[in-house]
Amino acid sequence: MKLVFKTLAYLNKLLLPSLTKRRVDLSKANKFQMILLGWRTFVTKRALD
């Protein structure tokens, strides 16, 4: 199962935009950006466990 999340984390890094490089302020982020942040956090957390 860990391999699945590591693969997803790698694909996230390649395909999804980085919010930190864009300097997105989380207090002003729109709904899509918050969902994207939550997804990336969820996958990264599972890949590291």
Side-chain angles (χ1 to χ4, degrees), residues 6-21:
K6 282 192 175 198
T7 305
L8 274 175
Y10 179 72
L11 290 175
N12 283 346
K13 187 175 180 180
L14 290 178
L15 301 176
L16 298 177
S18 173
L19 298 177
T20 55
K21 287 182 183 175

Side-chain angles (χ1 to χ4, degrees), residues 2-3 10 13 18 22 28 32:
K2 190 172 182 179
L3 181 62
Y10 179 72
K13 187 175 180 180
S18 173
R22 291 184 178 187
K28 296 177 183 173
F32 175 75

Side-chain angles (χ1 to χ4, degrees), residues 19-34:
L19 298 177
T20 55
K21 287 182 183 175
R22 291 184 178 187
R23 299 199 182 263
V24 173
D25 184 10
L26 292 180
S27 64
K28 296 177 183 173
N30 62 30
K31 196 169 268 195
F32 175 75
Q33 290 170 330
M34 293 303 285

